[in-house]
Amino acid sequence: MTGRSAADGPGRPDRPAFGGSGRLAGGSPRSSAAGSPAVGSAGCSAAGSSGRPAGGSSGRPAADGPGSPTADRPRLLVLRALGLGDLLTAVPALRALRRAHPGHELLLAAPARQAHAAAAAGAVDRVIPTSAPGRAVPGRIDWSGPPPDVAVDLHGNGPASHRPLSRLRPARLLAYAHPPERTAGPPWREDEHERDRWCRLLSWYGIPADPQDLRIPGPERPSPAPGAVVVHPGADAAARRWPGARFAAVGAALRAAGHRIVITAGAGEAGLAHDVARRAGLPGSAVLGGDTDPPFAELAALVAQARAVIVGDTGLAHLATAVGTPSVVLFGPVAPRLWGPPPGPLHRTLWHPDNDAARPGDAHGNVPDERLLRITVPEVLEALTRLPDPALRPARPTLTGAGG
């Protein structure tokens, strides 16, 4: 591969553009959506700062055993046992740790399903399967052998996430302060972007970290639908889930304008995804995932070679940011400045707050947030017209062996 996405190469199917007249079927006058800048060049190396994919020739870290030593190397343990979006926002910090500790084995305590995404970052040697129900903090990490040389809490800011690491007796623990239990470390800030938060933690301990070092390479495998518009109606909480009927209306307008549409879904979202597809006039074959999570390599290939992504504040939005695919991201209970893409033309964020509060709603609430419901179908369609043409996108790096 030359580092260019397959979607940018010859033989790409013709399809209508979003731009031009600034109108799309169902469109409206131009939106005031906030825009976002292309990501910096720091995140474009195919294997992050290490110069190679972690986990050996397969390009994936092992995820099938406890944190037992595999070689005579000191071990660095990172706790980030959350979802895909949480992992991707931690990529700059993981790469900074890799640069600062090139001789260590870097182990990530995270759900096993994140192993392929962790490999794509090019910084993790192995994943230690670690999880808890919902967004609870795991009570223990499956560890054997000598204590870690360094342990890093990229999970939270309090005793619940400090304790499972402290129990392993690391020589050094990098974490936020939480008086009176823990006074070492920088103070936690509520109003801070997630990527900046973890880079600031490491910087306090003398480890330089760049929040813009967030790009991951798209896999070499072909997309199941090159050039499609990806619509992701799901989210792990109803508060961040725009109504399915509105996603369907967007899909119907795009279908009528001649675009190919793929509806993506995580595990347990099959009903929602198929309902959106049906309402949009799409066949069931337009849905990827739903009964289970789509394989990461397939999902990453789809998003990396997509025309655009339409998504709420959830993991797929961070994947679009990571692979450099234009996106329209819908926000409700939490401000884009905390979880949104970098500012600039590649991404459009839609948000209608009452004031400048960073967290005006409950991100894990069981009903759609009122600010999210203020976003209209014409507004989303108009935001799409303001995304850059694929031919103008910078070339993406690729990671050999990232399939699976």
Side-chain angles (χ1 to χ4, degrees), residues 292-307:
T292 61
D293 289 332
F296 178 77
E298 184 177 10
L299 185 64
L302 173 71
V303 173
Q305 299 170 41
R307 170 65 182 89

Side-chain angles (χ1 to χ4, degrees), residues 11-16 258:
R12 179 180 178 177
D14 292 334
R15 61 181 183 277

Side-chain angles (χ1 to χ4, degrees), residues 106-205:
L106 199 157
L107 307 176
L108 177 66
R113 67 181 183 275
Q114 306 302 350
H116 291 285
V124 174
D125 293 305
R126 285 195 295 145
V127 167
I128 302 173
T130 307
S131 61
R135 295 185 66 86
V137 180
R140 65 182 297 273
I141 298 169
D142 192 7
W143 186 269
S144 64
D149 183 52
V150 182
V152 186
D153 185 357
L154 298 186
H155 190 102
N157 72 318
S161 56
H162 295 170
R163 286 170 184 157
L165 293 170
S166 297
R167 290 189 190 109
L168 302 180
R169 298 180 172 274
R172 191 178 185 211
L173 174 61
L174 312 187
Y176 275 103
H178 193 276
E181 180 161 316
R182 179 180 173 84
T183 57
W188 180 270
R189 297 175 187 164
E190 286 294 334
D191 191 354
E192 183 172 33
H193 196 286
E194 193 72 1
R195 289 188 299 270
D196 297 336
R197 182 190 310 289
W198 303 115
C199 289
R200 180 172 64 87
L201 170 69
L202 298 185
S203 296
W204 192 91
Y205 285 100

